[in-house]
Structures are given as structure tokens and as C-alpha cells.
Amino acid sequence: MAADVLTRRARVLVIGTGGAGLRAAIAAVESGADVLVVGKRGRADAHTVMAAGGINAALGTVDPEDSWQQHFADTVRESYGLAHPAVAEILTREAPAAIQELVDWGCAFARTPDGKLDQRYFGAHRYRRTCYAGDHTGRDIIEALVRRAEALGVPFVEHTHVTRLLVEDGRCAGAFGFDLRTGEQTAFLADAVVLGTGGHTSLWHPNTSRTDENWGEGIALALSAGAELMDMELVQFHPTGLVAPEDIAGTLVTEAVRGEGGILTNALGERFMARYDPERMELSTRDRVALANYTEILEGRGGPHGGVFLDVSHRGLDHIQERLPKMYRQLLAFQGVDISKEPMEVAPTAHYSMGGIAVEPETHTTTVPGLFAAGECASGLHGANRLGGNSLVDILVFGRRAGTEAARIAGQGGAGVGGGQAAGAVADAAGELDALLAAGEGSPKELQDTLRSLMWERCGVVRTEAGLLVCLEELAGLTEASGAMGVGGDGERWNRLAHGMDLRSGLMTAEATVRGALARRETRGAHNRSDFPALDPALTVNFRQRMGEEGLEVWAEPVPAVPEDLAPWLDGEAGAPTRR
Ligand SMILES: Cc1cc2nc3c(=O)[nH]c(=O)nc-3n(C[C@H](O)[C@H](O)[C@H](O)COP(=O)(O)OP(=O)(O)OC[C@H]3O[C@@H](n4cnc5c(N)ncnc54)[C@H](O)[C@@H]3O)c2cc1C
């Protein structure tokens, strides 16, 4: 073991304390495994706390006609045929139980006057099936999961940044990380590892995330460990992010605003969704509303800050304060705008990674033995367009499944807890940090900013082959610059080291995104290629990637067929109006 590196051992190591990581840890402990959870942030402050509008399950409490089959159909149809049916089926069948579990663990979802769980509309769902806790659903879910994990005695290692997965004899044998406050390095040796590390939307500016999360960290860790990725080009741009002031540009205006009747207009006062989706209007799919907003702005019909207007004031102060309390407070605090009296100005913002690590549907095992991935870092559920509210239930259903399977395989080798040594991998990981800590040229933060502008400009809402090729070239330049950068110096160096590692993850996942976007020579869902403006039925495939000898390899795989008994539920084209 490298000098000065601490060692900790566990049967199951969970990386990330968002909903997926917490749910995996709970499942692994309940399955009898000895577990350790490592995260960059405090246990109750992972990215999931930002989730606002709600979580889906076909409970039928307000629309009794709803069913899991209809939820399945909405999910698969709106994915433009790229969702894996097995993943969507498991999710929609198990969603009601996942909600019940949260209720049992004290999550205070909104209720109807007769005490049932209330459900609201989210875009492109046929029925009301989105449960919510005001517009702070994510925080309430995380608090319930943390309570449950603490009651089970799950140990946490917080404020620790994982920089490598340790691979020994072709198996994942743990991870390596450093303490963000002290720099202390630790090798976490484990029999199985679950990644619950979130997506890669911080690669774009504007985005809805926070600056130290969502750099595709876990996706890059998995790729470097030999795992395959899938659908990396499929990134959801949310139609409504704040446009001003600059330091909060991109902050999400939750879909619940449109769910509660919010109306979109341009600078000419036109309710422009009538041109893009006259039937569903503002409750159309995210990809359509995002492209509509983008087009209105690009064609010069935007407002003073370069956005379009979203108005919910007709619902009145009481309704807004009850259903959208956070939005009401945020707009007043950030912009002095009272949304019960006037519209807000919004524009598209990078929001969600629909692609990620390729996993097997039932257990979310990756292509590397001993390594699992769940939540936003994994792929398979959303295809080319995620339905709002499906992610929060994804992290619960598949976090539980990944944690259960990780616990099952963890004890099988017969060795002691976290029995490997992975000495070579540990030495390499420590060496990488030492090299970065040596003095160098260029600041990680500046390179991160350059990367974000580049991705927005060349691989954003609308893409072209020429732009993507320029993007690849500039990414190569940034990668070279990142090789020379240094983070040494003063007391802020651990933070800079984290930025440096985030940048490296970002560069890897950016390249995978661009290569996927080049391969997908069509327009489908959130992936708009202005040089290939139509959907190509021959490209109803998932693009997979892995690291080969010569760099990233990209290939197409057919999407598994929808089971015969569920096919009749898919009664419409993707993006076609659904019945209400
Ligand atoms: C503003 C906003 C609103 C949203 N609203 C909704 C909604 O209403 N409904 C819905 O379904 N979805 C919503 N989403 C999406 C949803 O919140 C996320 O997809 C989901 O929370 C992802 O959970 P996760 O557990 O997969 O990852 P995350 O919650 O992103 O957690 C990952 C954790 O891993 C940690 N981590 C990452 N890399 C490392 C590393 N190398 N070392 C250590 N730790 C690491 C991160 O710090 C983070 O804490 C929203 C998203 C945003 C941004």
C-alpha cells in the first residue's frame, strides 16, 4: 500500500449520497452486507435535494384510470423508442411500492382533502401521476432516506472526493479518494461498488446543477475502469431556466409551474406553443418546449434578458404559495419578481443526462464485474426524452435493486470483508494526485469555464456535424492543457484538486457526448441535428462506447423489443399528442 494512504474495507462501497446512493446503501444493509457510503458533500446535501416538482407512480389516487402499463407506455413512447422496455417495465411496476416506502419513512407528500396522496400533471403524462411535497420534493425524499439509513447504522464518509475505481484481476475492488478538507488519501477496498454519482450537465453553461457536482465523475470513473457507456449524446435541456442575474443563470424553474397552468409567451405577446404543439401546449414534452423556447429566442422574439416569458400569475397568490412556495421565494429574492403578479423570463438550460453507464436492467450491473450503477449516472430508462418526475423514482427503484445485488455478490468470494489489496491501482491513483499537486500552468476553474462555453456553443440544444468536429478538436486542446495544469500552493489546493479531477471527468464525458452526437445523424427527442432534421427509423438504436486501445470506440446496438403484452399500450408516435 502506498505510504500515507489510509485503508478502509467494506463488503459494499456506495459512492454518492444522492437518492440512488442512499437507497442502494439501505438495500445493501437490509440484505445483511457491511456497507460504507462515500460522498463529496454532506449526507443530506447531495444534488437530489434540488429536485423540485415531483415523483411519478401510477397510484390512480386522482385519476383512477391510470395504470402502470400506461405509465410504461408514456415513458417508452416519449423516449422516441430508445428506452429499454425491461427497465421501463420494472420502474413503472415498482414505482408505487417505492412511494409507499418513502411514506413509511416519513416523507410528507401532499395529500388530497380526503387524505389520499395528491398527484399533479407533469408534461406528456396521460394522467396525473406525480406525487409532490410542495416544490421541495427532492429535499423531503433525501431527508427520509437519510433518516432510514441512520436508523440502520449506515456509516458515511463525507466530503471525500473519489478519483479512481480500483480494478484488480478484472473486477472492481474498491475506490480511491481524498478528503476535501485535509487532502488525506484513502483506499476504500470492497467486494462490490455501487456508483450513484449523478449526471454530467455541469459541462454546459447554463445548467441547473451546482458547480461542484454533475461533471460526469462516476461515468468517467466507470469508463476508465473498463465499463461501457450508452446514449451519451442524449442530454435533456430543460425549457425553463432563469436567465438573470448571470451568477444564477440556468437555475431551474420547475415544470410544476407549467403543471399548475403556467403560460409561455414571447416578446410579441404570442402564446407560441400553439405553433409547436397545439394540443398539449405548455404541457408538451420537454424536448419540444425547449426547442420552441430556443427557436423563439434565436429568431429574435425574446425578452430583455434573452428569454421568453412564463406566467402563472392567474393562479393567484394563495395557490402559488401553496403549490410553488420555493419558486415564489426564489424569484422574489433573485430578481425582485412577484410571480403572483408578473411573468418570469426563462430560457433552456442543461438539466439531465439521459445516457450514462450501460447497465443490465434487473440488477444494474455494469460490464465490469463487481461494479453497479444506479440513478442519473446509469442509462436505459429515458431514451431521447425523459419524462419529468421519472428520475426521482428511477433512483429509488434501481438504487434498491443495485444495492440488493451488490450485497448478494459481495460475500461470494469467501475472502474477508473487502479482501483485495489492489496495491498497483492504489499507487497509480495516488500518483495521479501527486502529479496534479505539483506546480503547473493554467487553472482548472478557467479550463472548466472554457469547456462549458464550448459545449453550449457546439454541442448544445441544436448541433451540426461541423460544430461537433470543431468541438472535438477544441476538446483535444483542453485535454492537453489539463495535462499541464497544477493545483499546488495555498490552503485552497484541495478544492482546486477537486476542480482538476472534475475537469478531467468532464473532458472524458464531453468527448463521449460529442462522439455519440456525431454518430446520431438524425433529430430525435432532445438531440437536434440541424443538418439531419428528421428522425431516421434506422437509427432506433443505442450508441454504446468503451475505451479502446486507440481511444473511444462507438457502436450501435438495437433496442430490445417491447414485450407483446405491452405493445398495444403504445398507441401513438413519440411526440404525438396523448389523450387526456
Ligand atoms: C433543479 C433540479 C430539479 C429537479 N427536479 C426533479 C423532479 O421534480 N423530479 C424528478 O424526477 N427529477 C428531478 N430532477 C432530477 C433529479 O433530481 C436527479 O436526476 C436525481 O436526483 C439524481 O439522483 P442521483 O442519486 O442519481 O444523483 P445525485 O443526486 O446527483 O447524487 C450524486 C452524488 O454523488 C456525489 N458524487 C459524484 N461524484 C463523486 C465522486 N467522484 N466522489 C464522491 N462523491 C461524488 C455528488 O456530489 C452527489 O452528491 C431535478 C434536477 C434538478 C437539478
Side-chain angles (χ1 to χ4, degrees):
M1 192 63 61
D4 302 330
V5 175
L6 299 176
T7 304
R8 292 190 68 163
R9 292 179 189 271
R11 282 273 182 229
V12 175
L13 177 71
V14 175
I15 305 174
T17 59
L22 289 172
R23 190 61 192 86
I26 290 167
V29 170
E30 286 178 339
S31 304
D34 152 88
V35 175
L36 188 62
V37 182
V38 183
K40 282 193 202 185
R41 285 195 168 238
R43 69 192 69 178
D45 190 32
H47 175 85
T48 298
V49 295
M50 300 178 77
I55 174 168
N56 300 331
L59 302 176
T61 52
V62 290
D63 287 329
E65 316 88 295
D66 202 9
S67 62
W68 72 262
Q69 291 92 336
Q70 188 61 57
H71 186 187
F72 168 88
D74 291 353
T75 302
V76 172
R77 188 185 45 243
E78 299 304 342
S79 79
Y80 291 78
L82 299 189
H84 278 207
V87 179
E89 181 173 347
I90 292 169
L91 178 101
T92 51
R93 274 181 186 274
E94 296 183 3
I99 300 279
Q100 185 54 50
E101 228 170 44
L102 285 177
V103 172
D104 295 344
W105 298 338
C107 187
F109 288 120
R111 302 267 174 177
T112 60
D114 58 353
K116 292 185 198 146
L117 291 178
D118 197 9
Q119 302 205 278
R120 58 168 46 141
Y121 274 127
F122 253 28
H125 289 275
R126 180 161 298 182
Y127 299 113
R128 285 171 288 184
R129 64 166 73 99
T130 306
C131 297
Y132 61 97
D135 54 5
H136 39 82
T137 311
R139 179 166 295 285
D140 285 29
I141 290 176
I142 285 292
E143 284 171 2
L145 292 173
V146 167
R147 268 196 305 277
R148 176 70 181 163
E150 286 178 342
L152 292 168
V154 171
F156 288 89
V157 178
E158 299 170 311
H159 309 293
T160 292
H161 189 120
V162 170
T163 60
R164 283 273 179 115
L165 291 177
L166 304 172
V167 179
E168 191 174 38
D169 302 329
R171 285 189 64 82
C172 187
F176 184 89
F178 69 95
D179 189 305
L180 284 157
R181 298 155 301 188
T182 63
E184 190 171 67
Q185 298 178 358
T186 303
F188 300 97
L189 297 171
D191 304 334
V193 176
V194 181
L195 290 168
T197 43
H200 73 315
T201 48
S202 282
L203 266 57
W204 288 264
H205 176 76
N207 69 70
T208 58
S209 189
R210 301 188 284 202
T211 50
D212 64 335
E213 292 179 299
N214 277 40
W215 286 92
E217 305 93 317
I219 301 172
L221 289 172
L223 183 65
S224 306
E228 290 176 10
L229 310 183
M230 190 171 88
D231 291 343
M232 284 299 291
E233 71 281 12
L234 302 176
V235 177
Q236 181 164 71
F237 292 88
H238 198 289
T240 57
L242 291 180
V243 286
E246 171 58 23
D247 56 338
I248 54 140
T251 299
L252 184 74
V253 172
T254 172
E255 183 156 324
V257 176
R258 284 179 293 128
E260 295 298 339
I263 288 168
L264 284 164
T265 53
N266 60 21
L268 307 176
E270 295 168 325
R271 195 169 169 195
F272 56 82
M273 278 311 298
R275 284 202 292 277
Y276 298 88
D277 189 344
E279 186 144 344
R280 292 184 295 191
M281 299 293 284
E282 284 82 3
L283 285 179
S284 181
T285 50
R286 283 189 180 171
D287 58 314
R288 287 192 161 207
V289 185
L291 187 61
N293 290 357
Y294 185 82
T295 307
E296 291 299 307
I297 295 163
L298 200 72
E299 293 180 355
R301 294 184 290 278
H305 299 100
V308 290
F309 300 101
L310 177 61
D311 192 359
V312 73
S313 60
H314 53 284
R315 300 311 304 257
L317 182 63
D318 290 349
H319 186 88
I320 289 171
Q321 282 188 329
E322 186 204 329
R323 301 290 189 103
L324 303 164
K326 192 165 123 198
M327 282 285 78
Y328 181 76
R329 283 195 311 272
Q330 273 187 347
L331 266 288
L332 261 187
F334 292 157
Q335 297 182 349
V337 168
D338 179 345
I339 62 171
S340 72
K341 297 200 173 94
E342 54 190 319
M344 43 197 135
E345 203 177 335
V346 295
T349 171
H351 182 55
Y352 186 87
S353 305
M354 295 180 288
I357 303 162
V359 291
E360 180 277 322
E362 277 80 17
T363 60
H364 273 37
T365 311
T366 70
T367 48
V368 173
L371 181 63
F372 299 78
E376 195 171 337
C377 67
S379 60
L381 176 65
H382 313 288
N385 182 48
R386 174 180 77 101
L387 286 187
N390 263 2
S391 171
L392 287 178
V393 70
D394 169 27
I395 63 186
L396 298 174
V397 166
F398 292 107
R400 179 179 66 73
R401 282 176 165 261
T404 305
E405 180 67 5
R408 191 186 71 77
I409 64 144
Q412 284 180 350
V417 170
Q421 292 301 328
V426 171
D428 282 354
E432 178 181 29
L433 297 193
D434 290 346
L436 255 178
L437 283 164
E441 287 167 23
S443 116
K445 196 81 181 52
E446 277 165 25
L447 295 175
Q448 282 177 305
D449 288 344
T450 310
L451 172 61
R452 297 170 129 170
S453 307
L454 174 65
M455 289 300 280
W456 184 266
E457 197 185 334
R458 304 288 188 186
C459 189
V461 180
V462 178
R463 303 153 177 191
T464 63
E465 178 154 309
L468 291 167
L469 289 173
V470 171
C471 194
L472 265 190
E473 232 179 272
E474 294 193 14
L475 282 175
L478 281 175
T479 304
E480 202 181 316
S482 77
M485 76 190 169
V487 303
D490 59 25
E492 283 296 303
R493 63 190 183 282
W494 308 125
N495 256 333
R496 283 203 301 274
L497 184 58
H499 285 309
M501 293 310 299
D502 286 344
L503 172 66
R504 287 190 176 174
S505 303
L507 288 166
M508 284 180 87
T509 47
E511 185 184 340
T513 307
V514 176
R515 290 201 184 277
L518 277 166
R520 191 166 285 291
R521 292 155 73 91
E522 64 165 351
T523 287
R524 185 186 291 258
H527 175 71
N528 294 292
R529 283 280 303 260
S530 56
D531 45 353
F532 292 96
L535 184 145
D536 179 356
L539 287 179
T540 308
V541 296
N542 300 114
F543 285 108
R544 288 216 176 204
Q545 304 195 36
R546 71 174 156 239
M547 195 55 81
E549 300 275 301
E550 310 278 311
L552 278 173
E553 296 168 354
V554 186
W555 72 100
E557 285 198 359
V559 183
V562 172
E564 265 179 35
D565 58 321
L566 289 172
W569 291 85
L570 296 170
D571 59 348
E573 294 293 305
T578 47
R579 278 195 310 272
R580 273 272 159 78

